Amino acid sequence: MAKARTYYFCQECGYQSSSWIGRCPECGKWNTFVEEVVKASSPKPSKEGSYGKAVPKRIQEVTYSETERIPTHCAEFDRVLGGGIVPGSLLLLGGEPGIGKSTLLLQTALAITDRRLLYVSGEESEQQIRMRADRIGIHADNCFVVSETVTQRIFEHIDAVQPDLLVVDSIQTVVTEDVDSPAGSVSQIRQCTTEFQHYAKTTGVPVLLIGHITKDGTLAGPKVMEHIVDAVLQFEGDRNYGFRILRALKNRFGSTSEIGIFEMRGSGLAEVSNPSSLLLSHHDEELSGTAVAATVQGARPMFVEVQSLVSSAVYGTPQRNANGFDMRRMNMLLAVLEKRCGFKLGAKDVFLNMAGGLRVSDPALDLAVACSILSSNVDMPISPRYCFAAELGLSGEVRPVSRIENRVGEAARLGFERIFISKYDLRNLEQNKYNIQIIGVSVIEEAFRNLFENN
Ligand code: TYD
Ligand code: MG
């Protein structure tokens, strides 16, 4: 008879303690400890390890084949994964409720028509999954669905179906009989993930797990999972807009700088292969406070419209708000503009917004953000045919950014007339190769003079 013991686990980071404590010594969070009962007989890996007896080999003797990856038939998803799903890998897809995680993975499962798939849902009934599949509009013969929450029974279904790919929606709803605590608790999540990892590594069948995210944007509980899984993907976006970004926070088999862009439609998620055309609002009239940033996500250029509004503060303390951009970075840029360039922004309300509701992080956004703020401040528009790509330093200097050829090339291709970059980037650029006027600036005032004083 297995002996059960009570432990206390930090629900944030999974730290284990034999008594209740108020503040987690590991992650420093308060009031996160919850009592969980763990049976002493939790399966331990055998002495031989879970992969059988291993013999050290020379690294050159180890063979693998790239073609083994399972393509998802979705270019955006493949891009984030680094070219398809690696056999035997364990993936975690995180995201806020309602963002479209179940839709993305069901759609992917339905699209992989040349393999057997098993979609296990602990959240929805089989009828609900069928309704969703009908909505997506793909009819696949080899996709099996089952509504189940106990891992032991999930493995029975796996034995019966013998899938080539397994999807589990979501890890917070599945439980193992080996642990007595409720679904979603740290010890359940850890144990269930380990079981799926063991299954994936021993059979070579990739497993995709869905995980929920807490209000503050971290994966609930599964902090403990992040170490176990091979890749952590995050699905994000503003629910009021249709765009969704898929990015890899960790990827053992690919880059973490690539992003995939989707649009939520009435019939599921559609791939967005040319994001710039969607993210730029197509107005011809010149409006003050907008500037276009030439950003690069992974290897792909993406043009984003930055909008800002600067107005005199009505209340004593000026309001600052940034949507889709780091607030601290905005405050830093405001301080630079104030201190180095003498713009009196300290008593102004400043609101910043990235068009389309997308959150993009690229240092090259700085110059566009600064110029859009200045444009709104002096109430003079910047031509929609101009774009910007440079970082700003604390002394107001305009600094070079990576992949400048990509940015300039794409700007020329999209028909922009003028691009503002750092003077130091000019050296690395064959200027007459591009059909666009390239302005290299070394300090922010130069950009300001070029934009607002010449015309
Ligand atoms: P869902 O995949 O259930 O989100 P999650 O699993 O992350 O909680 O998707 C939820 C939203 O997506 C829901 O509010 C409705 C919307 N949706 C569409 O707009 N079109 C569709 O075809 C589908 C299936 C969902
Ligand atoms: Mg769901």
Side-chain angles (χ1 to χ4, degrees):
M1 174 69 199
K3 211 172 116 214
R5 271 216 61 182
T6 303
Y7 289 103
Y8 293 81
F9 288 94
C10 169
Q11 301 297 304
E12 284 291 330
C13 69
Y15 184 83
Q16 180 181 343
S17 160
S18 52
S19 63
W20 189 86
I21 27 183
R23 182 168 187 258
C24 176
E26 183 83 13
C27 66
K29 291 263 165 56
W30 289 91
N31 252 339
T32 53
F33 278 82
V34 170
E35 181 180 6
E36 292 178 17
V37 182
V38 182
K39 273 190 206 160
S41 71
S42 311
K44 291 202 178 75
S46 68
K47 265 200 184 130
E48 284 190 1
S50 39
Y51 312 105
K53 243 194 183 112
V55 184
K57 292 192 191 87
R58 286 176 211 279
I59 190 160
Q60 299 300 343
E61 290 166 10
V62 182
T63 53
Y64 72 96
S65 120
E66 259 302 302
T67 52
E68 272 176 19
R69 287 190 186 232
I70 303 173
T72 60
H73 302 294
C74 167
E76 297 293 301
F77 200 1
D78 277 348
R79 183 203 308 276
V80 177
L81 290 170
I85 304 170
V86 174
S89 63
L90 184 64
L91 273 95
L92 172 65
L93 174 69
E96 286 174 22
I99 205 76
K101 303 177 295 295
S102 310
T103 309
L104 178 67
L105 289 195
L106 182 62
Q107 198 172 325
T108 308
L110 292 173
I112 305 178
T113 45
D114 48 352
R115 317 263 168 162
R116 281 169 87 81
L117 288 122
L118 181 59
Y119 186 100
V120 182
S121 181
E123 305 206 331
E124 289 160 304
S125 68
E126 285 135 26
Q127 290 81 357
Q128 285 169 319
I129 305 173
R130 171 67 205 260
M131 278 162 63
R132 192 193 289 268
D134 284 345
R135 199 169 165 191
I136 294 168
I138 309 178
H139 301 282
D141 287 336
N142 41 4
C143 182
F144 294 80
V145 293
V146 63
S147 183
E148 182 62 76
T149 52
V150 181
T151 56
Q152 279 75 9
R153 263 178 271 140
I154 294 176
F155 287 114
E156 284 168 22
H157 298 310
I158 290 173
D159 283 340
V161 174
Q162 293 290 329
D164 298 317
L165 181 76
L166 176 71
V167 177
V168 179
D169 184 6
S170 65
I171 190 71
Q172 274 98 348
T173 53
V174 294
V175 288
T176 166
E177 285 166 350
D178 289 330
V179 178
D180 268 344
S181 41
S185 61
V186 169
S187 34
Q188 278 293 1
I189 288 176
R190 178 160 34 200
Q191 188 57 36
C192 294
T193 314
T194 314
E195 287 178 16
F196 287 119
Q197 182 204 29
H198 185 79
Y199 165 71
K201 300 292 172 209
T202 48
T203 60
V205 175
V207 180
L208 306 177
L209 304 171
I210 289 180
H212 293 287
I213 262 181
T214 53
K215 281 173 251 81
D216 57 359
T218 51
L219 285 165
K223 265 268 165 278
V224 283
M225 294 169 70
E226 285 182 21
H227 310 289
I228 309 175
V229 299
D230 295 307
V232 182
L233 309 179
Q234 180 153 314
F235 207 35
E236 57 187 47
D238 191 322
R239 244 188 293 170
N240 301 325
Y241 295 91
F243 298 116
R244 302 284 182 268
I245 290 191
L246 180 69
R247 58 174 105 233
L249 303 182
K250 160 181 174 177
N251 191 354
R252 287 193 180 141
F253 316 110
S255 137
T256 51
S257 56
E258 290 290 352
I259 62 166
I261 303 173
F262 297 87
E263 191 184 357
M264 183 61 96
R265 301 236 179 104
S267 56
L269 289 157
E271 297 177 49
V272 178
S273 46
N274 185 10
S276 304
S277 61
L278 282 162
L279 295 176
L280 299 176
S281 51
H282 301 276
H283 54 76
D284 285 329
E285 69 275 28
E286 302 192 342
L287 301 169
S288 73
T290 52
V292 177
T295 73
V296 168
Q297 301 291 316
R300 181 164 54 160
M302 201 165 105
F303 283 60
V304 191
E305 193 175 283
V306 182
Q307 306 171 332
S308 49
L309 183 67
V310 179
S311 67
S312 302
V314 185
Y315 304 105
T317 323
Q319 297 184 64
R320 299 281 154 89
N321 204 353
N323 201 352
F325 190 74
D326 184 10
M327 267 281 275
R328 277 169 301 176
R329 186 97 195 149
M330 179 180 87
N331 284 330
M332 188 212 91
L333 293 176
L334 288 173
V336 170
L337 294 179
E338 170 117 23
K339 175 90 180 165
R340 301 286 170 199
C341 317
F343 297 103
K344 296 279 163 271
L345 296 165
K348 301 277 177 79
D349 287 342
V350 181
F351 304 97
L352 188 72
N353 187 32
M354 299 288 143
L358 285 189
R359 186 172 194 92
V360 280
S361 49
D362 182 351
L365 273 167
D366 286 359
L367 188 59
V369 170
C371 289
S372 92
I373 291 173
L374 292 179
S375 157
S376 178
N377 190 40
V378 296
D379 201 14
M380 286 171 74
I382 297 173
S383 163
R385 314 222 155 272
Y386 295 176
C387 61
F388 304 84
E391 190 183 342
L392 277 194
L394 282 182
S395 52
E397 83 273 22
V398 177
R399 302 171 53 165
V401 287
S402 62
R403 295 182 179 273
I404 192 70
E405 308 88 358
N406 278 19
R407 300 175 201 262
V408 176
E410 181 75 0
R413 208 179 60 73
L414 288 173
F416 283 93
E417 274 168 19
R418 198 180 281 184
I419 182 166
F420 290 78
I421 63 172
S422 162
K423 208 170 83 185
Y424 306 101
D425 265 333
L426 277 182
R427 286 182 296 209
N428 316 329
L429 219 55
E430 270 183 64
Q431 288 188 50
N432 40 18
K433 217 173 95 185
Y434 305 98
N435 183 21
I436 186 170
Q437 189 187 3
I438 305 172
I439 312 270
V441 290
S442 53
V443 284
I444 179 81
E445 287 100 325
E446 270 180 52
F448 181 82
R449 278 200 299 276
N450 189 307
L451 286 169
F452 306 116
E453 285 175 10
N454 286 357
N455 36 21

